[in-house]
């Protein structure tokens, strides 16, 4: 039976690091705070996959207290989730992502992010959607304090 998973993550801007979103380094005044490379987009996707297959969340599997995860490339987390899914007989059917941030504007980067995510999930680009919106100035995200990402995946039995 196919299974749906939902993932949510948020990271605040830190200033002195590169901004990495969906495996892409994006030109911006600052990056995101986090133990790993703080790729909030890949974290949300990882949790969506883990949720779909009934596993614990990314924070349990890759704790931010573990020095091994310091500065980690978040692609490792996605690949691990995909591997766990594969062991349980699931592959990604499609993945739908919404990035919520005032800045930077993601329009120019969405194509590359989509390619990266498709490659990581081992699917064609046609089943990956990367959408971006602002929070219309409301709340912490609206004040530009950080980035929120929500992701949904459909995992299909292989
Ligand atoms: Mg995170």
């Amino acid at each position: 039976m196919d299974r749906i998973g939902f993932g949510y993550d948020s990271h605040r801007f830190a200033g002195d690091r590169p901004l990495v979103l969906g495996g892409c380094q994006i030109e911006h005044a600052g990056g995101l705070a986090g133990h790993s490379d703080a790729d909030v987009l890949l974290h949300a996707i990882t949790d969506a996959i883990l949720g779909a297959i009934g596993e614990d969340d990314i924070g349990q599997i890759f704790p931010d207290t573990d020095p091994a995860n310091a500065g980690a490339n978040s692609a490792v987390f996605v690949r691990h989730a995909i591997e766990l899914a594969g062991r349980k007989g699931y592959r990604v059917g499609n993945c739908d992502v919404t990035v919520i941030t005032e800045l930077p504007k993601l329009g120019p980067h969405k194509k590359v992010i989509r390619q990266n995510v498709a490659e990581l999930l081992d699917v064609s680009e046609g089943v990956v959607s990367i959408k971006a919106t602002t929070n219309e100035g409301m709340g912490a995200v609206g004040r530009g304090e950080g980035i929120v990402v929500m992701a949904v995946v459909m995992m299909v039995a292989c």
Side-chain angles (χ1 to χ4, degrees):
M1 192 174 60
D2 298 348
R3 299 173 70 154
I4 290 172
F6 171 75
Y8 170 98
D9 197 22
S10 63
H11 282 244
R12 62 172 62 241
F13 283 112
D16 54 349
R17 326 177 64 193
L19 176 60
V20 184
L21 271 183
C24 298
Q25 199 160 315
I26 291 173
E27 202 62 44
H28 191 54
L32 297 169
H35 188 61
S36 65
D37 64 4
D39 192 329
V40 61
L41 194 155
L42 294 189
H43 295 180
I45 290 176
T46 302
D47 254 355
I49 297 166
L50 293 172
I53 61 171
E55 290 286 336
D56 213 332
D57 58 66
I58 186 173
Q60 292 297 314
I61 298 176
F62 298 102
D64 62 9
T65 48
D66 185 347
N69 300 324
N73 180 340
S74 295
V76 170
F77 309 152
V78 179
R79 287 202 192 96
H80 182 74
I82 291 288
E83 193 189 315
L84 287 178
R87 278 191 229 150
K88 290 187 168 184
Y90 286 95
R91 61 178 172 78
V92 174
N94 75 298
C95 174
D96 183 15
V97 176
T98 299
V99 181
I100 308 160
T101 189
E102 303 299 309
L103 288 171
K105 292 293 174 202
L106 290 187
H109 309 288
K110 283 199 284 190
K111 191 172 158 48
V112 183
I113 292 173
R114 188 184 190 199
Q115 286 168 349
N116 275 359
V117 169
E119 195 180 322
L120 274 175
L121 300 181
D122 198 21
V123 295
S124 67
E125 285 174 44
V127 297
V128 174
S129 167
I130 306 293
K131 310 185 304 299
T133 185
T134 71
N135 215 34
E136 294 285 341
M138 295 183 287
V141 171
R143 291 189 295 272
E145 293 176 17
I147 299 180
V148 163
V149 178
M150 300 189 197
V152 175
V153 294
M154 173 69 84
M155 303 300 292
V156 297
C158 15

